[in-house]
């Protein structure tokens, strides 16, 4: 909460009545020691009047100093990195020829000419620019008027050798101590500086200075401003100015930064037109004179108009507003009706190391556009916005009048073109006048030729026209304007006005060039025109008159107009400074604390008009003022979200601000009631300032919540309207004409909008009638209700209303009522029923006719009803508002759907009632558990209730139980969730438990808060809260057993009793089940880890049973319980080290006055919870260790082994103590005494020793009210041990001396096997010493036997190391619980799913491969088929060629054979011829 901070300041008042009179010197001194840095104190005039100006600081060790000057205790200021400090000098060191003064010229100053060497620093440019801006805002009227009375002077922030008065003049202090008054972290602060000034290597002063070298006020003021700036500037940032504003420190005005985003430019222009004065043309009563070229200023009428516009922006209220007006305002000043604001613009400085390419493009466009207006992106600085303009500077000439005959049928101009014409959208005039100190600073303006003339010709578009249409000649629309004089329409008083005109003409040229393309060949006249423009500019600026130069020096800044479109390109942010004193209500919260905890504030606002709240957030994130100091820092964060105590979920985020200085924004809320949660996260300190025109409630939760119980404004408006409509009907009840109108108005008033004429409207009428009757009963006595019932019936004409109880008959008398009482026990016959129905119908008809007749004016019934209603209205008017609230609230309680349609129903979510119940608690030790609160509350009706706990205890938990069902309300993040608590019979029990942790808890206060939307809230079941409790604590060691039983106690109840049970273990990882049994049946149980709590349990006493019943019941149960249960009890009996007397020690937790207890309610509650007191109850409290979760270490196991041996010795001691003295020897008596003392010492060590982490133990606590502490008796369950002990005693009584003999035989047996197992033999003499006749039997023998037995048992039962044979899946063993089983199941399912996915992938891969094989096979077959076909084709081709060749060969052979045959035939023929010839010759 916000209360955790160290220093807080709250201002919640109207501006006209704000006051701060408490001195903060003591708080600041304490804060300096706590936080390690000086928080500058708040400003008080009395401190300045008592200041010692000759007090020097720490002396320097320098030699030759006559009087050491004052040194700032905070050290030297840290200048920006762009300014390199070489040395520090005092005024008497660098002003040797002149006498230093604080201020020399009180009417004007020049901070530009002498400071050009420091303008490389962004911080210095902003300081100088904003000082000039404040000077202009305050003193513009004074500078323009004949009587120069300055309102604001920068040197009045400095105090030295003077009193804190208005218009004081600070004097030069030779000791060098100066006090400055600046605004920081929500108030005016006292800043102390010295007069040491930084210089660089060239001996140039690195702080702003005026043209008068011996004036010191700029340097001192800048040093204090730099001190404040160093608390917010980041060293790793890319800018010297992050979010710090000088104007905020000089005036206290709240800065709001509005980024100029393209999608919101229309809204920005509308916003500027509202808050910035607008330039308007003067009304023309006569023709305007012609403006000549050699005029240096506009005409007087225009000049006066401009001055009036500027003065309207800077006009101040009647009370002179100085630096201290934010806190000291006259009480007689009226409430402001409209907030005042000042606006200036800023651009992001050029950064060559920027990585964002889009930001670099935007910076480049901004730089190019700014140079056209005489500004430089390199010298970034704030620019003051003085005026807006939506009209031309000079009124355009009126067109010549047209003859009347031309207006009859005007001829339309038709322009024939080859392309369709687009409609020309004329842009509206949007211009802004800016004032800048660095206009045309180190910048040569590049003028652009504006007189570019195009000859009349057809435009060439790069193609030849083939159309048959006649050519149309296009002319330059702006030809006449471009040929005009360049100096016309000019408004300038010096050189910058000339550049302004050239820029305006440049825009005309830009518009011209955008409409039509320039031809390739520009005429020579245009080039010459541009050259002459440049030369004219140089000659004009070089030959200025002395008067103009003098006016430049005295002028604060220079102005120029620029279009709004170019303005949004040049600048990226708007800085809107709100004047807090112009708002009707101001609320402030300041907190300084060195912690990372969040601080919460709440805001309640309720209004019938739309709400606008200015939220200012100042964050102190680091202290980095002086040289050589450095500290890590983070941004301060403020989150504003909608909030309701009835919901756990976070609300809608309304605002989120991150800053390291001061930032503000405006929150707009609709009509109605709203609750906002302010969450602040700031390392060192923060300040929140809210400004609004409507009243609010702002502060911590305790401040805001009381205001939520009131009705909302919309609820009151609606309730008042309904009741006024009722009064209007009553006043016009006898008027025949006005009554219907009044009834219609009443219906409109009580019916939600949009429901008229619907079924829901009829339901709403019934709800209104019932609520109106409830109002009548609440304001009147019951004895007069009979007369008012008839009037109510006549008013509403409602004959079916069932909510109106009682007898409606007018004619009934007491005698008739007595006569009717005789019919109650009789059963009517059918004839009697029919007669009764007939009588009722006749009576109802008569009654309704009488009611309807009362609506007719002039009748007796109407007069009687009007008189009755007017009497009722007289009573209502006495408490009108309360009656109106009762009427509408009763309508809301009917839970009708129609009421949800009322606009005021939305405010019901914010309506909250609350009540607190507080108790105190005593000092608590570390690692302790205790009960803080336990009470029963009665819920009167079903309601949503939120419980909230306020405490400083580190761990505190609240439990809420329904006493009817014994169910606990659900939790969310260890807090009880908002829950609808139904009305029950036994109420709800609220129990708060707490743990102290490792550190002790000091006594404090614990508070429980109930929050609900209804009233009355849950109330106590008795008169006062009780915080006196008695705690019974049982603490023992834990001894493992087979049944995993931790403990078991019997509870004897002597009277009805309510208790809280808690068990805690030394091991916080143990799972415990704490349960309460009644007659061995589980009544309630709870499971916890290391800690288990049963918040409430009701014990009922056996009042009708004898006191020995519990003991007899134990004996009966012990004799009947056998088997496994007997073994379980035996193991449980070995767990304790104390008897019932020692363990039932009661420790009172708190001491406080005794509070009276309501016994009747307790008895009734117990009767309802448990039943009849005649029932037999036997309660048992036991705890179990679940899942075998308590694993002991080796050292703990040895301790448990020793405890088991001690328990056996306890049985032996009791056994020997029961033997008669005649049978026990003297040495045995010594042994018995020794063993008893040893056991008692061991048993008492657990209670006396502190808790040790190496010892396993448990603690059981039973918390009761102090007066009921004796109602419970706790007894440990030792039935098994008692049975064994009784058996031993019976044996001993039957045979005296048996126990001693058995013990001696056992010792002899142990020693025998101990000797056998030992390496060294034991002498027989030593064995003989164990005989009964030995004199040392009672001393040495038992000790030796016990020691040897332990060794034998340890050796015998030594576990085998099975770790080499075990397969470990984890490095350490982990208890297998449900979560681990679930995780293993999830892993198995994941493996199965993974295997299924893998199998699916494999099957898909196989199917794919099979398909590929089939496809490959088909491809191969097709390839082989193609090869076969190709082979067959080739073979056939070869065969055909071979066959043709064969045929050729055969043909050639045939021809050859034929030739050979022919030759042979020829030879034969010739031979035959020769033979024939021979034969002839012969």
């Amino acid at each position: 909460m916000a209360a955790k901070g160290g220093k807080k300041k709250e201002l919640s008042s109207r501006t006209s009545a704000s006051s701060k009179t408490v001195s903060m010197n003591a708080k600041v001194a304490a804060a300096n020691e706590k936080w390690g840095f000086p928080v500058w104190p708040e400003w008080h005039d009395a401190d300045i009047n008592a200041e010692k100006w000759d007090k020097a600081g720490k002396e320097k060790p320098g030699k030759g100093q006559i009087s050491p000057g004052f040194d700032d205790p905070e050290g030297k200021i840290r200048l920006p990195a762009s300014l390199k400090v070489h040395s520090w000098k005092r005024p008497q060191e660098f002003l040797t020829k002149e006498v230093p003064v604080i201020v020399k010229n009180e009417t004007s100053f020049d901070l530009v000419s002498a400071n050009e060497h420091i303008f490389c620093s962004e911080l210095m440019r902003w300081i100088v620019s904003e000082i000039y801006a404040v000077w202009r805002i305050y003193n513009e009227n004074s500078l323009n008027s004949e009587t120069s009375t300055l309102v604001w002077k920068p040197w009045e922030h400095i105090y030295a050798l003077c009193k804190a008065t208005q218009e004081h003049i600070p004097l030069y202090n030779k000791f060098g101590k100066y006090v400055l008054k600046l605004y920081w972290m929500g108030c005016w602060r006292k800043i102390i500086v010295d007069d040491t000034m930084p210089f660089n290597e060239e001996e140039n002063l690195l702080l702003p200075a005026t043209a008068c070298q011996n004036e010191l006020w700029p340097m001192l003021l800048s040093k204090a401003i730099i001190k404040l700036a160093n608390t917010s500037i980041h060293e790793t940032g890319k800018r010297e100015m992050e979010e710090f504003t000088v104007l905020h420190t000089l005036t206290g005005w709240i800065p709001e930064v509005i980024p100029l985003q393209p999608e919101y430019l229309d809204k920005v222009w509308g916003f500027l037109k509202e808050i910035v004065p607008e330039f308007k043309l003067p009304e023309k009563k006569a023709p305007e004179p012609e403006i000549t070229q050699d005029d240096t200023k506009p005409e007087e009428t225009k000049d006066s108009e401009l001055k009036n516009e500027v003065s309207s922006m800077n006009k101040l209220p009647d009370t002179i507003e100085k630096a201290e007006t934010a806190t000291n305002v006259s009480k007689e000043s009226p409430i402001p009706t409209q907030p005042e604001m000042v606006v200036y613009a800023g651009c992001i400085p050029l950064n060559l190391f920027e990585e964002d390419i889009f930001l670099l493009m935007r910076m480049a466009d901004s730089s190019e556009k700014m140079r056209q207006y005489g500004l430089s992106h390199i010298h970034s600085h704030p620019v003051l916005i003085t005026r807006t303009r939506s009209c031309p500077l000079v009124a355009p000439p009126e067109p010549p009048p047209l003859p009347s005959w031309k207006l009859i049928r005007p001829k339309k101009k038709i322009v024939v073109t080859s392309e369709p014409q687009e409609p020309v959208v004329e842009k509206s005039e949007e211009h802004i006048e800016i004032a800048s100190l660095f206009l045309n600073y180190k910048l040569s303006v590049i003028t652009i030729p504006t007189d570019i003339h195009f000859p009349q010709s057809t435009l060439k578009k790069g193609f030849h026209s083939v159309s048959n249409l006649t050519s149309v000649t296009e002319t330059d629309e702006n030809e006449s304007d471009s040929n005009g004089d360049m100096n016309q329409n000019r408004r300038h008083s010096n050189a910058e006005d000339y550049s302004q005109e050239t820029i305006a003409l440049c825009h005309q040229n830009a518009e011209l060039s955008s409409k039509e393309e320039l031809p390739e060949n520009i005429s020579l006249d245009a080039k010459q025109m541009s050259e002459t423009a440049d030369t004219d500019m140089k000659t004009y600026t070089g030959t200025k008159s002395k008067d103009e130069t003098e006016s430049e020096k005295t002028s604060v800044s220079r102005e120029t107009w620029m279009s709004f479109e170019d303005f949004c390109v040049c600048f990226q942010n708007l800085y809107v400074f709100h004047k807090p004193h112009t708002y009707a209500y101001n609320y402030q919260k300041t907190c300084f604390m060195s912690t990372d905890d969040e601080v919460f504030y709440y805001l309640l606002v309720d209004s019938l008009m739309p709400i606008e709240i200015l939220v200012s957030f100042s964050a102190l994130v680091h202290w980095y003022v002086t040289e050589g100091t450095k500290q890590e820092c983070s941004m301060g964060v403020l989150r504003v979200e909608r909030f309701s105590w009835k919901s756990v979920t976070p609300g809608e985020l309304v605002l989120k601000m991150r800053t390291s200085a001061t930032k503000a924004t405006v929150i707009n809320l609709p009509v109605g009631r709203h609750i906002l949660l302010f969450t602040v996260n700031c390392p060192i300190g923060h300040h929140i300032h809210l400004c609004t025109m409507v009243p609010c409630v702002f502060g911590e939760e305790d401040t805001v919540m009381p205001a939520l119980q009131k009705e909302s404004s919309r609820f009151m408006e609606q309730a008042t309207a309904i009741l006024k409509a009722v009064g209007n009907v009553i006043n016009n009840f006898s008027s025949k004409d006005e009554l219907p109108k009044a009834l219609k108005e009443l219906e409109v008033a009580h019916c939600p909008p949009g429901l008229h004429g619907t079924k829901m409207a009829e339901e709403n009428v019934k709800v209104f009638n019932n609520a109106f009757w409830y109002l009548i009963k609440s304001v009147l006595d019951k004895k007069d209700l009979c007369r008012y019932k008839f009037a109510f019936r006549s008013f509403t004409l409602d004959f079916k209303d069932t909510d109106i109880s009682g007898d409606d008959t007018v004619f009934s008398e007491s005698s008739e009522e007595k006569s009717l009482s005789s019919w109650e026990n009789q059963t009517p016959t059918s004839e009697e029923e029919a007669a009764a129905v007939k009588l009722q119908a006749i009576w109802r008809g008569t009654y309704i006719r009488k009611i309807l007749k009362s609506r007719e004016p002039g009748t007796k019934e109407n007069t009687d009803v009007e008189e009755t209603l007017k009497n009722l209205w007289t009573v209502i008017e006495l408490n009108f508002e309360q009656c109106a609230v009762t009427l509408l609230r009763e309508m809301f309680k009917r839970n009708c759907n129609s009421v949800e349609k009322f606009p005021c129903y939305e405010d019901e979510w914010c309506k909250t009632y609350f009540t607190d119940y507080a108790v105190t608690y005593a000092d608590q030790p570390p690692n302790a558990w205790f009960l803080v609160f336990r009470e029963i509350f009665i819920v009167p009706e079903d309601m949503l209730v939120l419980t909230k706990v306020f405490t400083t205890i580190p761990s505190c938990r609240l439990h809420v139980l329904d006493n009817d069902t014994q169910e606990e309300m659900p939790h969310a993040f260890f807090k009880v969730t908002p829950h609808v608590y139904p009305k029950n019979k036994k109420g709800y029990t609220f129990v708060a438990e707490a743990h102290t942790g490792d550190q002790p808890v000091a006594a404090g206060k614990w508070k429980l808060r109930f929050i609900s939307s209804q009233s009355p809230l849950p109330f106590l079941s008795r008169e006062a809260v009780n915080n006196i409790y008695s705690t019974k604590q049982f603490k023992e060691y834990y001894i493992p057993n087979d049944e995993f039983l931790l403990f078991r106690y019997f509870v004897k109840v002597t009277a009805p009793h309510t208790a809280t049970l808690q068990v805690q273990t030394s091991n916080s990882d143990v799972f415990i089940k704490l349960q309460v049994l009644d007659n061995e049946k589980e009544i309630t149980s709870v499971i916890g880890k290391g800690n288990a709590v049963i918040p409430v349990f009701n014990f009922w006493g056996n009042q009708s049973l004898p006191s020995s019943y519990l003991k007899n019941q134990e004996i009966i149960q012990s004799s009947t319980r056998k088997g496994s249960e007997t073994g379980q009890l035996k193991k449980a009996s070995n767990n304790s080290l104390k008897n019932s007397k020692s363990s039932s020690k009661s420790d009172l937790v708190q001491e406080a006055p005794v509070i009276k207890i309501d016994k009747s309610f307790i008895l009734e509650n117990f009767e309802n919870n448990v039943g009849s007191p005649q029932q037999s109850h036997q309660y048992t409290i036991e705890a179990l260790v679940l899942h075998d979760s308590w694993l002991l270490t080796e050292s703990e196991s040895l301790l448990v082994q020793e405890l088991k041996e001690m328990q056996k010795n306890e049985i032996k001691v009791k056994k020997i103590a029961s033997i008669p003295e005649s049978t026990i020897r003297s040495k045995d008596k010594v042994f018995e005494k020794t063993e008893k003392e040893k056991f008692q010492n061991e048993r008492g060590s657990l209670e006396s020793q502190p808790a040790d982490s190496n010892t396993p133990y448990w603690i059981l606590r039973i918390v009761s009210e102090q007066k009921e502490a004796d109602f419970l008796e706790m007894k440990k369950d030792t039935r098994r041990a008692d049975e064994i002990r009784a058996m031993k005693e019976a044996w001993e009584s039957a045979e005296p001396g048996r126990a001693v003999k058995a013990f001696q035989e056992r010792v002899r047996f142990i020693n025998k096997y101990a000797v056998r197992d030992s390496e060294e033999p034991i002498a027989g003499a030593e064995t003989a010493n164990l005989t009964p006749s030995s004199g040392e039997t009672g001393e040495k023998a038992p000790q030796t036997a016990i020691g040897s037995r332990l060794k034998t048992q340890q050796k015998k039962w030594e576990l085998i190391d099975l770790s080499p044979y075990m397969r470990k899946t984890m490095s350490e063993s982990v208890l297998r619980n449900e979560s681990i089983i679930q995780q293993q199941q999830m892993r198995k399912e994941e493996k199965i799913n993974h295997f299924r996915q893998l199998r699916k992938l494999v099957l898909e891969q196989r199917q794919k491969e099979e398909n590929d094989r089939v496809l490959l096979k088909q491809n191969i077959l097709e390839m082989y088929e193609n090869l076969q076909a190709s082979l067959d084709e080739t073979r056939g081709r070869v065969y055909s060629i071979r066959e043709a060749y064969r045929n050729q060969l055969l043909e050639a052979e045939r021809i050859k054979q034929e030739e050979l045959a022919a030759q042979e035939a020829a030879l034969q023929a010739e031979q035959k011829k020769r033979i024939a010839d021979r034969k002839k010759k012969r």
Side-chain angles (χ1 to χ4, degrees), residues 1220-1235:
E1221 295 182 0
S1222 60
T1223 60
I1224 301 176
R1225 300 179 182 180
S1226 60
K1227 295 183 179 181
D1228 294 336
K1229 293 180 180 180
V1230 175
F1231 168 73
E1232 178 186 355
K1233 183 178 181 182
T1234 305
E1235 290 295 327

Side-chain angles (χ1 to χ4, degrees), residues 723 775 778-779 872-887:
L723 196 56
L775 175 63
S778 63
V779 299
L872 174 65
W873 183 247
T874 303
V875 178
I876 291 176
E877 283 184 330
L878 297 177
N879 196 359
F880 184 82
E881 290 188 359
Q882 184 62 34
C883 292
V885 170
T886 303
L887 178 60

Side-chain angles (χ1 to χ4, degrees), residues 529-586:
M529 189 66 184
S530 62
E531 293 177 359
T532 55
D534 293 339
T535 55
D536 291 344
M537 181 68 188
K538 293 179 181 179
T539 56
Y540 186 84
T541 56
T543 60
K544 289 187 292 186
S545 63
K546 294 182 179 180
D547 297 338
E548 293 176 348
T549 306
E550 195 68 25
S551 64
E552 277 190 7
K553 292 183 179 180
T554 58
S555 176
V556 174
S557 57
R558 290 165 285 184
E559 302 82 10
T560 183
W561 286 97
M562 64 190 316
S563 66
F564 181 69
E565 182 180 357
D566 294 341
F567 174 83
C568 297
V569 174
C570 295
F571 304 100
Q572 289 76 38
N573 293 318
L574 278 182
Y575 294 83
V576 181
F577 285 86
H578 302 258
K579 301 179 181 180
H581 68 278
T582 61
Y583 286 85
Y585 300 94
N586 287 265

Side-chain angles (χ1 to χ4, degrees), residues 14-18 317-320 325 328-337 581-584:
R14 295 167 61 140
T15 310
S16 60
S18 61
D318 296 335
T319 305
I320 297 178
T325 54
N328 299 326
V329 181
S330 174
K331 295 184 179 181
E332 299 179 357
S333 59
I335 300 175
T337 58
H581 68 278
T582 61
Y583 286 85

Side-chain angles (χ1 to χ4, degrees), residues 304-322:
S304 62
E305 179 68 23
L306 297 180
K307 290 182 180 180
N308 292 334
E309 293 294 335
V310 176
S311 63
S312 63
M313 178 193 69
N314 299 315
K315 187 176 181 181
L316 299 173
D318 296 335
T319 305
I320 297 178
E321 182 184 8
K322 293 194 174 183

Side-chain angles (χ1 to χ4, degrees), residues 768-793:
F768 169 75
N769 294 341
N770 295 334
F772 186 48
W773 176 245
Y774 177 84
L775 175 63
I776 294 174
K777 291 193 299 182
S778 63
V779 299
L780 297 174
D781 297 333
K782 294 183 179 179
K783 60 182 181 180
D784 297 332
L785 288 181
C786 184
R787 183 164 56 96
Y788 286 97
K789 286 177 185 177
F790 185 80
F792 170 78
R793 299 286 191 186

Side-chain angles (χ1 to χ4, degrees), residues 1386-1426:
M1386 292 174 62
R1387 294 194 193 97
K1388 289 181 181 179
E1389 292 177 357
E1390 290 177 359
K1391 289 182 180 179
I1392 293 172
N1393 294 333
H1394 180 68
F1395 175 78
R1396 288 177 178 173
Q1397 294 178 0
L1398 183 61
R1399 181 175 178 273
K1400 184 178 180 181
L1401 293 175
V1402 170
L1403 293 177
E1404 292 177 355
Q1405 185 67 23
R1406 289 181 179 178
Q1407 185 67 29
K1408 183 179 179 180
E1409 291 177 357
E1410 184 178 0
N1411 296 335
D1412 293 340
R1413 287 195 298 271
V1414 172
L1415 183 62
L1416 179 62
K1417 182 178 179 181
Q1418 294 178 357
N1419 294 335
I1420 291 174
L1421 290 176
E1422 291 178 358
M1423 182 184 68
Y1424 280 121
E1425 289 176 358
N1426 295 333

Side-chain angles (χ1 to χ4, degrees), residues 607-621:
S607 176
L608 298 175
M609 300 296 293
I611 305 164
E612 188 175 275
I613 302 175
L614 175 66
V615 180
S616 172
F617 175 54
S618 301
L620 179 60
V621 298

